[in-house]
Amino acid sequence: MTEQKDFFFQPISRYVGNRDIELQGAELVAFTTKLYNYVEDNSLEEIQRSNFFYWLTYALYCAVKSSDTTTVEILSAITIKILNQDSEALEAMFQQSASEGVFKGQSFFYVWMNNYSSLVHGEVRKSNSLLALALLFKKLLETPNFKFCSL
């Protein structure tokens, strides 16, 4: 899926490949590793200019759908790292809208909350996944000037 060079900077509509597949298992782990490395290797400004948050949200969707607790924990930790660097930057990322897929037109914050709701109401409850996202949302609520309720 991620063989295209610089796919973090490609407009989603020009991404070469199937954007509708649901990653799981080794593919999801490899993709999550690319997301983690991207955050480690790039400035916050570069992350904001890229499509990183789209792909991070996509990975969360896949992890929740496939009940991959470890990946949900890693994605939450990546998001908390961004929050700790610059809460306003993270807020701006959450306010972006999905341009394609099931959540087209919805804010990324809505998508994250929908994933949380899926974990709460799903047939298989993964408590560590719930805790990871609950910790993230708790940190958002505790962050001064973060407009959590307006998202």
Side-chain angles (χ1 to χ4, degrees):
M1 161 171 181
T2 57
E3 296 306 315
Q4 180 175 331
K5 291 184 190 270
D6 299 328
F7 76 99
F8 283 121
F9 282 97
Q10 280 291 337
I12 303 306
S13 61
R14 289 194 4 224
Y15 175 75
V16 177
N18 186 351
R19 294 179 302 277
D20 296 326
I21 62 171
E22 293 172 3
L23 300 177
Q24 57 184 322
E27 280 185 313
L28 183 55
V29 170
F31 188 66
T32 302
T33 300
K34 286 184 185 242
L35 292 167
Y36 179 85
N37 290 340
Y38 190 79
V39 168
E40 291 296 310
D41 297 342
N42 291 279
S43 69
L44 188 56
E45 292 77 25
E46 293 235 2
I47 292 167
Q48 286 181 277
R49 284 194 309 265
S50 72
N51 290 319
F52 172 81
F53 209 72
Y54 172 91
W55 293 113
L56 185 75
T57 302
Y58 170 76
L60 177 68
Y61 170 78
C62 292
V64 168
K65 191 139 176 121
S66 65
S67 299
D68 188 333
T69 297
T70 302
T71 298
V72 171
E73 291 171 338
I74 293 168
L75 298 170
S76 295
I78 290 170
T79 308
I80 289 170
K81 180 177 180 159
I82 295 170
L83 174 67
N84 291 339
Q85 287 179 337
D86 186 340
S87 64
E88 290 178 7
L90 181 62
E91 185 177 343
M93 290 180 210
F94 269 126
Q95 289 175 348
Q96 295 173 21
S97 296
S99 59
E100 293 196 10
V102 177
F103 296 103
K104 182 178 182 175
Q106 299 293 332
S107 73
F108 287 129
F109 187 73
Y110 175 86
V111 178
W112 281 66
M113 291 302 293
N114 185 277
N115 280 292
Y116 185 73
S117 178
S118 294
L119 288 170
V120 169
H121 300 292
E123 290 179 22
V124 178
R125 294 239 166 77
K126 296 289 188 173
S127 58
N128 286 347
S129 291
L130 282 167
L131 288 171
L133 285 179
L135 175 64
L136 168 63
F137 294 138
K138 179 181 182 291
K139 287 189 172 291
L140 293 175
L141 284 168
E142 293 172 345
T143 300
N145 301 321
F146 194 92
K147 298 174 187 83
F148 186 80
C149 294
S150 67
L151 295 175

